[in-house]
Amino acid sequence: MLQHIVWYVSLSLMMVVGFGWTFVVLKSGTREEDYTPLQKRAYRLRARFFWLLVALFGTPMVYTLVDLPYDIIRPAQGAGTIQAVNATGYMWRWELSHDRVEAGRPVEFHVTSADVNHGFAIYDPDMKIVAQVQAMPGITNTLHHTFGQPGTYRVMCLEYCGLAHHNMTTEFTVAARS
Ligand code: CUA
């Protein structure tokens, strides 16, 4: 639904730009004129347009950035409560050191790759992305996430990494807290 709205808004803006271009092309000639007043008006218009864009998109941008699937790195609440999972990406599969974690307890994923760059993305049972980090060769990235709901979660690769990129998925279980 939202994607449709975004698509139509983009399409309308593209059409506005297109009409603008056509207008300029049709109006352009070899006439010699003083363009200074026109230029001044254009600059004024541009400044107004800039502030209009800031007003239109600034608030939604701040609002949507809050929903980005990057978890804030919190200090460990006692090492014993943290569940560590090592995740390694290979062309084209994931290897997880554990396929079961507990809900309500922080999980620390140590994510790396054995070959090329992969994207380590975790999806909840409704296939909504909940956390993601880059899987890079030679580097181990840490991803913190505390799962709220038990269920089967899916890991998918978010970085195109070759022919079978789309097959690069695995699952793990988030169990209710014991
Ligand atoms: Cu790994 Cu795409």
Side-chain angles (χ1 to χ4, degrees), residues 3-149:
Q3 275 165 345
H4 277 97
I5 297 171
V6 171
W7 165 240
Y8 285 122
V9 168
S10 307
L11 201 66
S12 317
L13 288 176
M14 282 188 266
M15 278 170 74
V16 169
V17 172
F19 282 131
W21 267 99
T22 316
F23 181 77
V24 169
V25 168
L26 290 178
K27 283 281 178 184
S28 69
T30 46
R31 287 166 294 141
E32 286 290 330
E33 277 177 41
D34 183 13
Y35 283 112
T36 317
L38 188 70
Q39 200 177 39
K40 273 189 184 154
R41 226 170 61 210
Y43 283 162
R44 263 204 312 275
L45 244 150
R46 189 172 68 176
R48 271 187 217 154
F49 186 58
F50 172 75
W51 289 114
L52 179 77
L53 286 183
V54 169
L56 271 180
F57 293 107
T59 316
M61 200 175 73
V62 170
Y63 178 74
T64 50
L65 277 177
V66 172
D67 280 340
L68 274 184
Y70 300 107
D71 219 20
I72 301 150
I73 295 170
R74 298 184 193 88
Q77 316 159 321
T81 64
I82 298 245
Q83 315 171 81
V85 177
N86 295 328
T88 309
Y90 297 85
M91 289 158 84
W92 292 277
R93 64 193 169 87
W94 292 105
E95 213 174 80
L96 302 180
S97 61
H98 299 77
D99 57 5
R100 190 186 160 90
V101 293
E102 262 182 32
R105 276 176 59 201
V107 183
E108 194 173 275
F109 292 94
H110 304 282
V111 182
T112 189
S113 164
D115 37 49
V116 299
N117 269 284
H118 301 283
F120 180 83
I122 302 170
Y123 291 79
D124 71 10
D126 300 324
M127 287 309 282
K128 209 178 148 198
I129 190 167
V130 294
Q132 71 100 21
V133 76
Q134 196 76 3
M136 300 152 85
I139 292 169
T140 300
N141 285 321
T142 306
L143 177 67
H144 294 257
H145 191 72
T146 303
F147 295 93
Q149 292 301 316

